[in-house]
Amino acid sequence: ASLLLMAGIVAAVGLCRRLTRRRLRSHQRLYTFFLEMFSTFQICACTNELCLLGTVEPRPHTALTLTYGFTVLHGLTLTGSTCNPCGTLQPMWGGGMSVEMGGLKIVAQFVAAALARMFMRFIWSLEMTEPRFGALSQGCGNPMQTTEVQAFCIELLFSVVFQLTVLRVESVNPKYRVHLIALLITMLVYAGGNLTGAIFNPALAFSLHPNCFYEKFLSYSLVYWIAPSLGKFLILDVF
């Protein structure tokens, strides 16, 4: 049921992206906003569902396999979208994108994160399958299983490694590049998923753990917003 749900989300987002290209291409701002919003919605909604499958046996093989598979799928179906506020900072910093357009994309990403969370909560309320039982009653899932300082350093390091790899594989054939990035993300999730969740995406973190930001805004914004953004700026300064 979970695989069918995520496949349906990918198909629906693909249709919405196609309609956006046909209907709104002449309206640049709306086109950019909706294209980024639909793409980020796909990643956030699917990742919310994947988090419920983290305890499915055999552990952690099932979760890691699904992480790799859906990361490849996102890479193949969401070309042209960053779906990550940190990724949007690069063209803004380099002058390839105006501050207004970059800000519009970041707003779209956080709007999509909130919409994805609400959509998944509605799906979970139906309680059609066992992994969703009790999902609505959970408050802050407390993804940080270590100290705030260590969590900050982990998310910062993972952001640096990820952004550096993305820059280094830009010249690789897209057919192979998407697999390299998916493999890297899977390895990072395996290495730090039990400590911080290995998210390094501010919009995705907000979608996965909104209650944590409500309860402990300062610490969670520092770890899941500031750390990955700082990692991105470090890479931009160096390279």
Side-chain angles (χ1 to χ4, degrees):
S2 291
L3 293 177
L4 288 176
L5 171 62
M6 289 186 285
I9 291 172
V10 172
V13 168
L15 178 61
C16 291
R17 280 167 55 89
R18 181 175 298 181
L19 290 175
T20 299
R21 289 193 180 97
R22 289 182 179 179
R23 304 292 184 181
L24 298 177
R25 186 174 290 275
S26 58
H27 303 82
Q28 188 60 36
R29 293 181 180 177
L30 287 176
Y31 172 77
T32 300
F33 181 87
F34 281 105
L35 201 65
E36 194 67 29
M37 186 186 73
F38 289 134
S39 301
T40 308
F41 177 90
Q42 175 177 313
I43 289 181
C44 291
C46 289
T47 307
N48 268 280
E49 185 68 17
L50 282 174
C51 287
L52 291 184
L53 302 178
T55 57
V56 174
E57 297 294 342
R59 301 171 58 185
H61 305 83
T62 300
L64 292 176
T65 301
L66 291 174
T67 298
Y68 175 82
F70 274 91
T71 302
V72 171
L73 184 61
H74 294 325
L76 294 175
T77 58
L78 302 179
T79 54
S81 298
T82 57
C83 308
N84 187 339
C86 296
T88 307
L89 293 175
Q90 180 176 346
M92 292 175 60
W93 185 266
M97 179 187 300
S98 66
V99 175
E100 180 184 6
M101 192 61 69
L104 186 67
K105 295 185 72 170
I106 292 176
V107 169
Q109 291 158 1
F110 277 98
V111 168
L115 291 176
R117 182 65 178 182
M118 289 188 290
F119 173 76
M120 294 309 299
R121 287 180 66 85
F122 168 74
I123 295 297
W124 294 340
S125 68
L126 303 178
E127 294 190 344
M128 295 181 295
T129 58
E130 185 175 351
R132 300 190 184 96
F133 293 166
L136 288 174
S137 62
Q138 295 178 354
C140 173
N142 194 20
M144 284 194 293
Q145 299 298 316
T146 182
T147 65
E148 292 181 8
V149 174
Q150 290 178 333
F152 179 88
C153 293
I154 290 172
E155 287 294 311
L156 175 63
L157 175 62
F158 283 4
S159 177
V160 169
V161 172
F162 176 73
Q163 301 296 343
L164 179 60
T165 303
V166 170
L167 289 176
R168 299 300 294 178
V169 300
E170 282 184 344
S171 59
V172 178
N173 188 307
K175 294 188 299 183
Y176 305 117
R177 181 170 63 234
V178 66
H179 289 279
L180 291 174
I181 294 177
L183 179 61
L184 172 65
I185 291 176
T186 305
M187 292 172 61
L188 294 177
V189 169
Y190 177 73
N194 63 324
L195 297 176
T196 65
I199 303 173
F200 47 91
N201 182 333
L204 179 58
F206 181 71
S207 182
L208 294 177
H209 309 291
N211 292 324
C212 297
F213 284 93
Y214 300 151
E215 297 173 11
K216 302 176 181 178
F217 178 79
L218 182 59
S219 60
Y220 275 81
S221 61
L222 185 67
V223 172
Y224 293 105
W225 290 355
I226 303 300
S229 299
L230 180 60
K232 182 65 177 181
F233 280 119
L234 288 176
I235 292 298
L236 291 176
D237 282 339
V238 173
F239 291 92

